[in-house]
Amino acid sequence: MVKTKKTTIEVASELEAHERECAIRYANIEKRLDSGQARFTRIEAMIVGIYGLLIASQILDRMF
C-alpha cells in the first residue's frame, strides 16, 4: 500500500467538503426529528382521548 502525502490545501479542501456533507446530514436528521415530534404529539392526543372515552363509558354504565 503506497501512501502519498497530501498538501495542506488538499486536506483543508477535503475537510470542508466533509463539513458540508455533515451539515446536510444533520439538517435532514433535524427534519425527521421534527416530523416525528408532530406524530408523537398527535398520538399523545389520541391516547388522552381514549382515556377520556374509557372513563366516560364507565361513568355512563354506572348511571344507567
Side-chain angles (χ1 to χ4, degrees):
M1 180 159 64
V2 177
K3 292 186 178 183
T4 59
K5 289 188 177 184
K6 294 184 179 183
T7 65
T8 306
I9 295 172
E10 290 172 332
V11 172
S13 175
E14 289 177 5
L15 183 60
E16 287 173 7
H18 175 75
E19 288 175 347
R20 279 192 304 273
E21 285 294 318
C22 286
I24 292 169
R25 286 183 185 144
Y26 285 125
N28 288 332
I29 290 170
E30 283 293 322
K31 287 178 191 176
R32 290 173 59 195
L33 287 173
D34 289 341
S35 70
Q37 179 64 34
R39 277 189 293 209
F40 281 123
T41 301
R42 188 179 82 239
I43 291 170
E44 185 178 82
M46 292 169 70
I47 291 171
V48 169
I50 289 172
Y51 283 145
L53 181 63
L54 291 172
I55 292 169
S57 68
Q58 290 297 317
I59 291 171
L60 288 173
D61 185 47
R62 291 181 186 182
M63 292 176 85
F64 298 108

